[in-house]
Amino acid sequence: MGSGLSSAGLLEGDSVLSTSGGRQPGLGPWLGGGPWPPAWEADPSARQPQLNASVSAFQRRFVVDVRRCEELEKTFTFLQAEVRRAGLALPLPEGVLLAPPPRDLLRIQEESDRLAQELRDVRGNQQALRAQLHQLQLHSAVLSQGHGHGPQLAATHTDMPLERTPLLQAPGGPHQDLRVNFVAGAVEPHKAAALERLLWRACRGFLIASFRETEQQLEDPVTGEPATWTTFLISYWGEQIGQKIRKITDCFHCHVFPFAEQEEARLGALQQLQQQSHELQEVLGETERFLSQVLGRVQKLLPPWQVQIRKMKAVYLALNQCSVSTTHKCLIAEAWCATRDLPTVQQALQDSSSEAGVSAVVHRIPCRDMPPTLVRTNRFTASFQGIVDAYGVGRYQEVNPAPYTIITFPFLFAVMFGDVGHGLLMFLFALAMVLAENRPAVKTAQNEIWRTFFGGRYLLLLMGLFSVYTGFIYNECFSRATAIFPSGWSVAAMANQSGWSDTFLAEHPLLTLDPNVTGVFLGPYPFGIDPVWSLAVNHLSFLNSFKMKMSVILGVTHMTFGVVLGVFNHMHFGQWHRLLLETVPELVFLLALFGYLVFLIVYKWLRFTAADAASAPSVLLHFINMFLFSRSATNRPLFPGQEVVQSVLVVLALAMVPILLLGTPLFLRQQHRRHARRRQLVEDEDKTGLLDASVSVSSQGLDEEKAECPGDREEAEFVASEVFMHQAIHTIEFCLGCISNTASYLRLWALSLAHAQLSEVLWAMVMRVGLGLSDEMGVVAVVLVPIFAAFAVMTVAILLVMEGLSAFLHALRLHWVEFQNKFYAGTGYKLSPFTFAVEDAEHP
């Protein structure tokens, strides 16, 4: 039933847990992670009993503890970012980690804050040291670059006359001070050209600038990546020119350094800079070693802390949904609990009681609300249950389609994907994932496509296995037929008894095998389609007829099974009127029309042989004449009295429509009126005071029950228009759906045909061309390698991925629309239990 793949009644619909104790739950060993059952709700947004919904989220008792956990999570995020910044990875926590008690929470908070502060200080010192080292390296690069301006300019001013150097004349005139000044520094390469152009235009040529790229790349202090810099040396005259140059270099964010005029002074400064860089590198190395030690401690402590704090936050969020008693000494909680887990919950609450003489108390209270649905799955059934839940979560104790989907879904997929070779490749791919499912690298892969395939590995396994089975039935392996057993057709017998001469063979390129000739047809093929049909010209017509009839038979059987499953829903919920007024008319309508069509197909297969195949009537014409109440002179009946049987079936099917349309609404209306008369009679007797004591007690009990459960008054409400409208929609949908859904199952035939033809085209246009090459040059073996590679790639990409996805979607539609809507409402909601499994699975 709707309780899942396990037994029915998995949830206790009338049980809500109530706990109380002498100390606050969550402040003692209860947070130590005892035997927690999966029945406590931790998600505040889930549909669950919440006793303090009217209290603001900022006024609840444990809001301070939740905020403390959130602050710790922010600190953990900073620590995790620092670890990843260093190129390290956080290991997986070992073992099952327990939710820490509050005293351990303070210790974790202090240690995490201390580690975060140490990381901030060390990172700050590291950045400062790197920036200082970068400045020293840039200064050294500026001094070590052989610009040569200083000596050359000195020689120019001592040996050369002023009239031969017009650009070196100061802007104030020849009597101004001609002492040469220097501005040296470094700039980013992409700014060098703009800087040089702006300097020349602003200073009108009264300068000499030299730009050179550094020979070695320097490490960027922020990103840590190597980068090339451009050093420059500018010689100028005059204080005004110098001010312009300094302003321009500041605008370009250049690093400007002092530059001595004498060569000896520059060499001394360069040696001093190299010594300072060496000392600074030693200090930076010690800083980085200390940083590695701090990050090592973070790597060791952070993973278990993250899991523990998330668990503790989940506990506090659950406690915030509980109500506090008037004495503020206990908490009261209400929760849905699975019946089989109720003893575990009681034992956990008893073990969590910390003070002697005070223990938690569990009570069952009545409730009329619809319970949530809990479906217990495992690795194998999870993907199939996911297909059902994507349509809608079942109501509590409703029939669950997942157990039947385990067989029907892969089978319907295989009907459209039937090929031994393609199915075997899919099966081996899924089998490899199943065998490697416990490897950490496979389970922790982050690729979304891979995770999708890995989650449905067992579904793919069965889809591939069933495809191999249907491939043997179709006798197709990469579009080629295989002769596993001897063929049931004999060409030699036909040639011997028909007198085929050379002239006859020359005039007739196509030869017909007549099964009526003795010895030509020896009997049916033991399993599947006879391989001789792959050589026939009319094999496509033969397979189309076979697959079309097979699709109709499978579709009607699948829909009938869905209607039958609705019987268990009506019986379980006590809706016997729906069993008689809905299920029975639906079965009669479906089987009288389309069940009869299946009967005609099977009867024709069994009734007519090869001898009278030419005069066999058409099933399609009989089915059309059935609705027209007519007969065809050229289409003889399949059996005596067929016209009478068809007329009776059509009338019977049409008679079910008014029953299906009006039966349930009229019954509910009559039932509502009967209950109303009873309530009116009880009220009249109360007014006249003629009730005896027992009747008074019963009436009082009834009033108390209604006061406890206002849902009874809701159920007593009856709106005839809504009921009639709902039933009219259901009737129209079912009657028209029987026709459209039966036609929808023809997609099994269409997709199977498309898959077979694509396989045939791919083989004919790729492999057959390669295998048909002549070996005159002796290179056929070499040419076949890329041809086979292309065939393999296109087989996987087109036939396995694209065709497989198409067949998967069509099989999904057949289950959702044609099968599940016959009995499955899917209007429930999932049980979201309090569990630490998600926290353990989401650790970094």
Side-chain angles (χ1 to χ4, degrees), residues 723-742:
V723 175
F724 276 95
M725 182 62 67
H726 180 272
Q727 191 64 25
I729 295 174
H730 172 74
T731 303
I732 296 174
E733 180 183 9
F734 178 82
C735 295
L736 297 181
C738 287
I739 302 173
S740 62
N741 294 346
T742 304

Side-chain angles (χ1 to χ4, degrees), residues 225-386:
E225 298 179 355
T228 303
W229 287 79
T230 298
T231 61
F232 61 85
L233 180 60
I234 304 172
S235 306
Y236 66 92
W237 295 265
E239 187 62 28
Q240 294 180 357
I241 300 296
Q243 293 177 1
K244 289 182 179 181
I245 294 174
R246 293 186 182 90
K247 290 181 179 179
I248 292 174
T249 54
D250 289 342
C251 291
F252 280 83
H253 302 285
C254 301
H255 299 271
V256 180
F257 305 103
F259 189 86
E261 296 183 6
Q262 292 77 16
E263 184 73 19
E264 293 80 5
R266 290 198 299 271
L267 292 177
L270 181 60
Q271 293 178 357
Q272 186 177 3
L273 289 175
Q274 292 176 350
Q275 183 179 0
Q276 292 178 359
S277 300
H278 180 70
E279 295 175 354
L280 200 59
Q281 286 178 352
E282 292 182 354
V283 176
L284 183 60
E286 292 294 333
T287 303
E288 291 179 349
R289 281 191 289 271
F290 180 71
L291 177 62
S292 300
Q293 295 177 1
V294 177
L295 291 176
R297 296 206 306 270
V298 173
Q299 277 185 296
K300 180 180 179 181
L301 298 175
L302 184 57
W305 283 353
Q306 287 179 315
V307 176
Q308 287 179 310
I309 295 305
R310 280 202 296 265
K311 289 184 176 182
M312 175 165 257
K313 182 181 177 181
V315 171
Y316 282 129
L317 288 175
L319 293 178
N320 268 340
Q321 299 176 20
C322 305
S323 64
V324 184
S325 66
T326 55
T327 59
H328 294 275
K329 293 184 179 180
C330 67
L331 295 176
I332 301 175
E334 292 183 3
W336 292 108
C337 176
T339 306
R340 57 186 288 186
D341 294 328
L342 196 56
T344 308
V345 174
Q346 294 174 342
Q347 184 64 35
L349 293 175
Q350 292 177 2
D351 295 340
S352 64
S353 300
S354 57
E355 292 186 356
V358 179
S359 60
V361 181
V362 180
H363 297 287
R364 289 190 181 186
I365 61 176
C367 184
R368 296 284 183 174
D369 295 337
M370 184 178 68
T373 301
L374 173 62
V375 180
R376 302 181 189 271
T377 60
N378 50 36
R379 295 178 178 179
F380 180 77
T381 59
S383 56
F384 298 97
Q385 187 63 47

Side-chain angles (χ1 to χ4, degrees), residues 531-567:
V532 76
W533 283 104
S534 63
L535 306 175
V537 178
N538 61 338
H539 75 285
L540 188 58
S541 301
F542 170 76
L543 291 179
N544 280 343
S545 176
F546 166 74
K547 292 181 179 180
M548 180 176 62
K549 295 179 175 63
M550 177 191 65
S551 300
V552 173
I553 294 175
L554 293 177
V556 175
T557 304
H558 200 208
M559 291 189 296
T560 305
F561 179 63
V563 176
V564 171
L565 288 179
V567 175

Side-chain angles (χ1 to χ4, degrees), residues 645-702:
V645 173
Q646 292 182 165
S647 301
V648 171
L649 291 178
V650 172
V651 171
L652 184 62
L654 295 177
M656 295 298 106
V657 176
I659 298 177
L660 189 61
L661 177 63
L662 303 175
T664 299
L666 293 178
F667 176 83
L668 293 178
R669 182 181 180 183
Q670 183 65 24
Q671 187 181 40
H672 171 71
R673 290 181 176 179
R674 185 168 59 253
H675 292 335
R677 286 195 298 269
R678 290 180 180 177
R679 287 195 298 268
Q680 185 65 32
L681 180 60
V682 173
E683 292 176 0
D684 293 341
E685 292 178 352
D686 288 338
K687 292 179 180 179
T688 55
L690 298 177
L691 291 176
D692 54 9
S694 60
V695 176
S696 300
V697 172
S698 300
S699 177
Q700 182 181 0
L702 179 60

Side-chain angles (χ1 to χ4, degrees), residues 595-612:
Y596 175 70
L597 176 61
V598 173
F599 167 77
L600 292 181
I601 294 174
V602 177
Y603 182 81
K604 182 179 177 180
W605 280 346
L606 300 177
R607 172 65 176 81
F608 294 91
T609 60
D612 51 359

Side-chain angles (χ1 to χ4, degrees), residues 602-646:
V602 177
Y603 182 81
K604 182 179 177 180
W605 280 346
L606 300 177
R607 172 65 176 81
F608 294 91
T609 60
D612 51 359
S615 61
S618 172
V619 173
L620 182 59
L621 291 179
H622 277 301
F623 192 65
I624 294 176
N625 293 332
M626 175 180 175
F627 293 95
L628 300 178
F629 294 95
S630 64
R631 57 176 300 178
S632 177
T634 59
N635 194 41
R636 65 188 181 92
L638 284 169
F639 55 88
Q642 181 180 0
E643 296 180 5
V644 178
V645 173
Q646 292 182 165

Side-chain angles (χ1 to χ4, degrees), residues 549-596:
K549 295 179 175 63
M550 177 191 65
S551 300
V552 173
I553 294 175
L554 293 177
V556 175
T557 304
H558 200 208
M559 291 189 296
T560 305
F561 179 63
V563 176
V564 171
L565 288 179
V567 175
F568 298 97
N569 278 334
H570 301 327
M571 294 175 60
H572 176 75
F573 293 111
Q575 299 174 340
W576 299 100
H577 64 281
R578 294 188 181 274
L579 180 62
L580 298 176
L581 300 176
E582 291 185 8
T583 303
V584 173
E586 288 175 354
L587 281 175
V588 173
F589 184 88
L590 178 62
L591 296 178
L593 299 180
F594 300 99
Y596 175 70

